[in-house]
Amino acid sequence: MADDVLTRHVSHEDDGRAVDRARMRRGLWMQRGGQASFNALSWAGFLFLWLPIFILIFYSFNDSRQLNEFRGFTLQWYQNIFDNVAGSNVQFSTGLMMQAFRNSLMVSLTATIIATIIGTMVALSLARGRFPGRRYIDSLLFLPVVIPEITQGVSLAMFFQLVFEFMRRVDGVAWNYGFTTIIIGHVAFNISYVAIVVRARLANMNPRLEEAAYDLGANGWQTFWRITFPQILPGVMAGALLAFTLSLDDYVVTFFNNGPGSTTLPIFVYGMLKTTVTPEINAISTLMLVLSAVIVVFSLVMQRNLMGHR
Amino acid sequence: MSDVKVQLVKTVKEFPGRRGEDAVRAVDSINLTIYDGEFFALLGPSGCGKTTTLRLIAGFEQPTSGDVIIDGEQMAGVPAFHRPVNTVFQDYALFPHMTVMQNVMFGLKMAGVDRREAERRAASALELVGLPNIRKRRPRELSGGQQQRVALARALVKKPSVLLLDEPLGALDLKLRRRMQIELKAMQAELGITFIFVTHDQEEAMTMANRIAVMDQGHILQIGRPDEIYETPRTRFVADFIGETNFLQGRLLHTEDRVGVVDIGDDVSIPAIMPERHAARAGDDVTVAIRPERIAIQGMDVPASADDSRVMVRGRVTEAYYIGTDTRYVVRVASASLTVRVQNTDYQRGMGFKPQQAVYVLWEKHNARLLVD
Ligand SMILES: Nc1ncnc2c1ncn2[C@@H]1O[C@H](COP(=O)(O)OP(=O)(O)OP(=O)(O)O)[C@@H](O)[C@H]1O
Ligand SMILES: [Mg+2]
């Protein structure tokens, strides 16, 4: 009787162990399988993102106007765009392209600087301020991120139309679309992005740090510049970078709000595209990609240096 | 006594309740007087309002009503950066983007001290806290104990009139904690700065403080020297929070000269000291507290020796534990169970009492105290 109980007990335990082991093995398998499929997925995602871009870069060096053949390496297309040639496009001129590029830089830089300052202030007042309706403004912040860009573009264009009409009636001055309207448009959508990024950084900041600064005799101004600002600087930089890249390649808002002589590079390239995709367009796009990459790397390095060992 | 340093008068701090919840009275009409050079501890369980009290003094919170007075001056409307106090925060709040030296020099820079002088003072502050060789490091490259010392140096370098410390040793391991308790205490005595120290650790408060305020739910229940708080707790909460205590429930029979006689059942009645302003009257249900180590235990073979100053009652041992330094007995007296702690010395060892043994328990009269519930 006692023996029986004992053996049963033992065999039970054995069963248990076997089950455990099987479960463990299955778990391991799932883990490994999961890992593998996860890796595959992330590679697929990576390819999906980058393959078209690699193809574009590849063809910008292809010594053929046709996409279906590869005839070796050339820098012809790069040379062309600096030699007033762009395939069959008779309107192309290097001067116009460079002008569009300068316009783009000017618009993006101005819009970024303004949006970064306003966006950071918005984030600060939302995180630190105590005023009625703060919570609603907080959620309104996401609006420009989610509403379609075309809505923004059209609504801004309409708004400017009304302003122009008003000014014409009051003052008799005929205002028109141009850099100012483009920059205002870019600032309008960039503020949200900057504010959201800075706000996230502020939310992660230890509020005791500011109190410690007050405690040690720093007033509000000193506390902001010596404690708060260095703490949120990575967020401000990230927000500015985001704003700059969004602004640099913005087409929709720019399209609805540009005027004579304020063509930016995306508008210019799109104008070229209307006829056909030429290798010269590939070359311009590749150059823009390189420029963006340089900016990103530069800002990353700068952030790291600024933050020391953080 | 010496000069008054910090005074709270009927100070109230109320936080608005969120979404229909009631407002929280984190500090509820506190009166507190702290003297120059004192090491004062605010002691209480989590959420009792210790940090809020400290923040009211530091100026991070404004009282809902009542006054905060430092060095005789009303602090209403005086911002934190103009108050003669400095704080050591619970999580230290060192500036992560500055080196140790820059952290310590920050307060001096803000005060407009010139660079060379600031460096000299910061260096000597770091020396004071025993960290002369880590000036160039950043806070996150330091151990918890080192961070704690940097926070201390950063506050002390300002030569504050009052130093506020919010559980500064909370994040340290027990051994380091013990060492820092002694160091802090020595430092305070040497510098003569008033320390207001928040802790929820009663042992820490007893070890370090000249006086302790015991807090609960926004109220101060009792203020006194550690021995006063321990020996003569006024309320059940204080007696329970500090050290171990026996509570005996009973009925007050009559009072005479601030001594009440309490019937604890089974025809046993014991005298108990009544605290000042105690409102209980004959016939009321009351609680009596006696510390376990103040009770002695005696065999029935020894002749009973009750007298005016000594109380002696019969009981029966129900449990006995040997725990190294002490032996702990639980003795049934009337309808109550009394814990008795007997220190194991060369003279008492081997006098063990066994469960079920009939014994006398005895104590000096002043050890039994009537409590306010
Ligand atoms: N800013 C605030 N808003 C709302 N309620 C608060 C705020 N600060 C504190 N309280 C509330 O006030 C009460 C006291 O908090 P306090 O931080 O002073 O407690 P404490 O004694 O320091 O506790 P602990 O030992 O856990 O630090 C708590 O109930 C807390 O929830
Ligand atoms: Mg606290």
Side-chain angles (χ1 to χ4, degrees), chain A residues 42-307:
Chain A
S42 49
W43 275 109
F46 188 76
L47 274 182
F48 187 66
L49 263 175
W50 286 97
L51 198 58
I53 294 173
F54 284 137
I55 290 173
L56 174 117
I57 297 171
F58 181 79
Y59 278 109
S60 77
F61 295 110
N62 182 13
D63 192 6
S64 162
R65 283 212 168 269
Q66 263 62 53
L67 285 184
N68 53 12
E69 56 177 353
F70 181 68
R71 282 217 240 128
F73 180 85
T74 181
L75 288 176
Q76 181 65 50
W77 319 125
Y78 290 88
Q79 201 176 343
N80 280 0
I81 56 174
F82 291 102
D83 278 349
N84 284 322
V85 184
S88 53
N89 195 330
V90 285
Q91 279 164 9
F92 180 87
S93 94
T94 306
L96 283 178
M97 180 189 77
M98 290 314 286
Q99 187 56 49
F101 176 66
R102 276 195 293 273
N103 290 348
S104 264
L105 275 189
M106 194 273 287
V107 165
S108 313
L109 276 176
T110 315
T112 299
I113 290 167
I114 298 172
T116 303
I117 292 170
I118 299 178
T120 302
M121 294 198 306
V122 168
L124 278 167
S125 74
L126 285 177
R128 297 282 186 268
R130 299 259 169 285
F131 51 89
R134 193 172 60 102
R135 214 175 287 173
Y136 301 101
I137 296 182
D138 210 4
S139 30
L140 276 179
L141 203 57
F142 282 89
L143 212 54
V145 177
V146 294
I147 59 172
E149 227 194 319
I150 189 140
T151 315
Q152 282 180 61
V154 172
S155 63
L156 277 164
M158 251 177 65
F159 170 74
F160 290 131
Q161 191 68 61
L162 285 173
V163 172
F164 296 158
E165 194 66 18
F166 178 77
M167 288 312 290
R168 197 176 55 76
R169 285 205 194 143
V170 170
D171 237 9
V173 232
W175 285 11
N176 204 352
Y177 294 97
F179 287 123
T180 313
T181 50
I182 298 177
I183 289 171
I184 291 174
H186 285 202
V187 168
F189 69 76
N190 273 336
I191 285 176
S192 282
Y193 288 94
V194 174
I196 288 167
V197 174
V198 175
R199 182 119 161 68
R201 181 78 198 178
L202 267 170
N204 279 330
M205 185 183 156
N206 180 359
R208 294 289 103 76
L209 293 182
E210 286 170 358
E211 285 175 358
Y214 288 128
D215 191 67
L216 293 166
N219 60 29
W221 185 251
Q222 291 165 321
T223 300
F224 177 75
W225 287 112
R226 289 169 187 271
I227 308 299
T228 316
F229 189 69
Q231 284 297 305
I232 62 171
L233 188 55
V236 174
M237 298 276 299
L241 184 71
L242 186 63
F244 184 76
T245 46
L246 284 174
S247 181
L248 191 65
D249 74 354
D250 178 77
Y251 179 79
V252 179
V253 170
T254 314
F255 174 77
F256 282 103
N257 296 287
N258 74 355
S262 61
T263 305
T264 61
L265 198 55
I267 304 269
F268 179 82
V269 171
Y270 189 75
M272 283 174 71
L273 247 174
K274 272 184 195 149
T275 48
T276 165
V277 181
T278 65
E280 283 86 1
I281 292 181
N282 292 344
I284 296 176
S285 306
T286 304
L287 284 179
M288 277 183 81
L289 180 73
V290 170
L291 179 73
S292 314
V294 168
I295 293 169
V296 170
V297 170
F298 174 75
S299 79
L300 283 179
V301 169
M302 203 158 86
Q303 263 185 63
R304 189 170 293 180
N305 286 347
L306 270 174
M307 282 294 94

Side-chain angles (χ1 to χ4, degrees), chain B residues 56-89:
Chain B
L56 286 167
I57 300 173
F60 304 136
E61 306 279 3
Q62 299 303 320
T64 310
S65 66
D67 302 317
V68 176
I69 300 163
I70 303 176
D71 284 334
E73 275 181 54
Q74 272 285 351
M75 285 294 127
V78 178
F81 52 89
H82 282 151
R83 297 195 183 191
V85 301
N86 286 108
T87 307
V88 176
F89 291 83

Side-chain angles (χ1 to χ4, degrees), chain B residues 223-258:
Chain B
I223 303 179
R225 295 188 313 268
D227 58 300
E228 280 174 342
I229 301 260
Y230 186 82
E231 307 273 345
T232 59
R234 265 175 46 80
T235 71
R236 184 176 179 131
F237 181 89
V238 174
D240 203 21
F241 193 74
I242 303 205
E244 195 186 357
T245 309
N246 288 297
F247 293 113
L248 297 167
Q249 306 293 337
R251 179 170 305 241
L252 190 60
L253 295 179
H254 54 87
T255 62
E256 192 185 329
D257 277 352
R258 295 197 44 232

